[in-house]
Amino acid sequence: IVLHSDDSKIEDIDIFNDHLALYEVHKGFDRVRILNFNNKEEPWRQIKLPSPISASPGVNQDYFTDTLRFHYSSPTIPERTFNYNMLTNELHKVKEKKIDINYFNPEDYVCYRVNVPSKIEPNIAIPLTLVHHKSIKKDHSNRTLMIAYGAYGHNLDIDFRIKNLPLLKRNWVLALAHVRGGADLGRKWYDSGKELNKMNSFYDFIDCVEYLVDEKYTNPQLTAAISSSAGGLLLGTILNMRPELFKAVVMKVPFVDVLSTMTDPSLPLTVHEYNEWGDPRDKKVYEYIMRYCPYYNIKAQNYPHMLVTASLLDSRVPFWQPAKYVAKLRRYKTDNNILLLKVDKDSGHFGEGGRYGSLYELSLIHISEPTRLLS
């Protein structure tokens, strides 16, 4: 029914008696398509939606209905819920998450995609999603937060996150870099950023940062970056390669000792992840991982202000990885910049739970000295 496409990734489906709803990422953009089983001449129809957005299924429990319920949002659009008539092509909004318009008016902000040319591969362009107030000027004066992940074929979601509003209100630029290692541009995009192609993820992110400087959005003294887990590996490697690109970096439960982890098959996830990082029992793989592993490539140089977190109950990234990473950084770095390590005693890999736990964690990031230096 659905043909393979190198530049698409299927995210979800809803199946009905006469239709199939397909949620996919196509060339880096979310889209929703409808397949009509009874229309042989034009079986496919795409729902017209703004772009870029993040789309997801709603509750669709009636198998015999012709109405599809789904949600979408973007960094400037709070989540909206729609009913779509799959026969008549009519779209009706049924719900919208309310945000005080006196605090945040979506009409004052923009979200758009640019393609950043790769400096090492001329035929490659890295998608970069930018979010900011309409009034900003391209004069190197904007505080900018770089966001990326680039592993496991995970797409960087372009959705509404209320935690970003304090930054947008203060005229920050949010830059989401869809680097290789994610599957934003399909399976090939993922494959070209894992195992013996992992260095591509780091080169892509560096290209995105330099693009924003070259295009006068910001400068390194106003640029911060944040990521977690395997995204922390991305940042840790880039800090060893190009630390001068950033003023401050936040690394949440970062996977910074990939070499020690992948050479210890007794750890719960090591063998399972050979397909992602490679099997270091192969000398070629071992030497390649050694080339970029954040912990083993720390050297005597200046590093930006940093906040690193760890969790004692983390079964994915054991607390000792961030702990020994920070200890080695403190021994080698040649600057007087702030380096903080925060270890949570009660939470796991995904941070604090409960109604307020994630807010406490977010407040720590916003009030920490590395972040405040940019504010």
Side-chain angles (χ1 to χ4, degrees):
I1 294 176
V2 182
L3 298 178
H4 168 74
S5 173
D6 287 337
D7 51 15
S8 296
K9 179 187 177 185
I10 297 175
E11 294 287 294
D12 214 327
I13 60 172
D14 274 317
I15 300 178
F16 305 91
N17 185 60
D18 296 319
H19 300 88
L20 179 144
L22 184 67
Y23 305 84
E24 59 185 345
V25 179
H26 177 67
K27 296 183 178 180
F29 296 95
D30 280 28
R31 70 179 183 181
V32 183
R33 292 195 294 156
I34 306 299
L35 174 62
N36 188 333
F37 299 143
N38 301 317
N39 188 336
K40 304 304 181 183
E41 295 181 358
E42 296 184 19
W44 286 102
R45 176 181 289 170
Q46 182 173 331
I47 302 177
K48 293 182 180 180
L49 299 171
S51 184
I53 59 161
S54 177
S56 60
V59 177
N60 294 288
Q61 297 179 332
D62 185 353
Y63 178 71
F64 295 97
T65 186
D66 293 317
T67 300
L68 170 72
R69 175 161 291 190
F70 69 96
H71 315 286
Y72 79 70
S73 72
S74 83
T76 61
I77 302 174
E79 184 178 83
R80 295 174 178 176
T81 301
F82 287 86
N83 283 344
Y84 175 74
N85 190 305
M86 293 181 282
L87 287 178
T88 65
N89 199 31
E90 294 176 310
L91 187 65
H92 298 286
K93 183 168 67 175
V94 296
K95 184 180 178 181
E96 180 174 358
K97 187 174 182 179
K98 296 297 181 183
I99 302 292
D100 185 354
I101 198 170
N102 293 317
Y103 178 72
F104 178 79
N105 184 355
E107 299 298 323
D108 293 337
Y109 298 85
V110 292
C111 174
Y112 55 97
R113 180 76 53 83
V114 297
N115 291 314
V116 178
S118 169
K119 293 183 179 179
I120 62 170
E121 297 183 57
N123 61 330
I124 293 293
I126 306 106
L128 178 65
T129 301
L130 299 176
V131 189
H132 56 76
H133 196 278
K134 290 180 177 178
S135 66
I136 73 158
K137 298 179 180 179
K138 295 168 76 170
D139 58 1
H140 294 297
S141 67
N142 302 296
R143 292 164 292 185
T144 298
L145 179 63
M146 299 292 305
I147 303 167
Y149 189 75
Y152 302 111
H154 174 74
N155 296 334
L156 207 55
D157 292 327
I158 310 300
D159 56 2
F160 186 82
R161 309 217 171 176
I162 199 166
K163 68 180 181 181
N164 291 329
L165 297 191
L167 298 179
L168 292 174
K169 287 284 291 182
R170 283 143 55 200
N171 286 339
W172 280 64
V173 175
L174 303 185
L176 293 82
H178 306 269
V179 302
R180 281 175 283 184
D184 304 82
L185 298 184
R187 178 75 195 196
K188 285 187 176 180
W189 195 251
Y190 168 43
D191 289 339
S192 62
K194 72 185 188 88
E195 295 185 90
L196 295 179
N197 295 314
K198 188 60 197 172
M199 290 298 296
N200 289 332
S201 302
F202 316 132
Y203 296 140
D204 287 354
F205 194 73
I206 290 171
D207 286 342
C208 287
V209 178
E210 291 183 333
Y211 172 87
L212 293 176
V213 175
D214 293 342
E215 293 296 315
K216 300 182 181 181
Y217 283 92
T218 189
N219 71 76
Q221 288 301 305
L222 293 175
T223 302
I226 185 170
S227 197
S228 61
S229 193
L233 182 153
L234 176 79
L235 295 183
T237 300
I238 292 168
L239 289 180
N240 290 329
M241 296 168 64
R242 298 289 304 279
E244 75 281 0
L245 291 177
F246 305 97
K247 178 72 171 181
V249 171
V250 177
M251 301 165 65
K252 300 166 60 178
V253 292
F255 183 35
V256 285
D257 190 2
V258 59
L259 186 63
S260 296
T261 299
M262 298 310 297
T263 53
D264 185 355
S266 69
L267 294 174
L269 296 178
T270 295
V271 175
H272 173 72
E273 299 210 350
Y274 284 159
N275 288 333
E276 183 69 27
W277 312 106
D279 184 349
R281 290 175 295 185
D282 181 328
K283 182 181 179 181
K284 184 178 181 181
V285 173
Y286 183 96
E287 292 175 346
Y288 191 84
I289 295 176
M290 176 65 84
R291 179 181 168 191
Y292 68 78
C293 180
Y295 178 77
Y296 285 100
N297 286 282
I298 292 173
K299 51 194 170 187
Q301 63 179 1
N302 290 347
Y303 286 84
H305 301 286
M306 297 173 64
L307 168 64
V308 182
T309 71
S311 298
L312 285 182
L313 304 182
D314 192 338
S315 60
R316 300 193 181 197
V317 178
F319 72 91
W320 48 261
Q321 282 202 33
K324 74 175 190 177
Y325 171 75
V326 169
K328 188 173 181 179
L329 267 178
R330 286 175 174 161
R331 186 165 71 249
Y332 277 86
K333 73 189 192 81
T334 56
D335 56 78
N336 293 318
N337 291 333
I338 294 167
L339 173 56
L340 301 179
L341 172 66
K342 193 266 186 182
V343 181
D344 193 289
K345 298 185 295 181
D346 303 311
S347 64
H349 187 66
F350 296 100
E352 296 188 41
R355 184 176 181 182
Y356 298 109
S358 62
L359 297 178
Y360 292 144
E361 188 175 272
L362 180 63
S363 66
L364 168 69
I365 293 172
H366 278 268
I367 68 173
S368 66
E369 193 67 19
T371 306
R372 287 199 301 114
L373 286 167
L374 278 170
S375 300

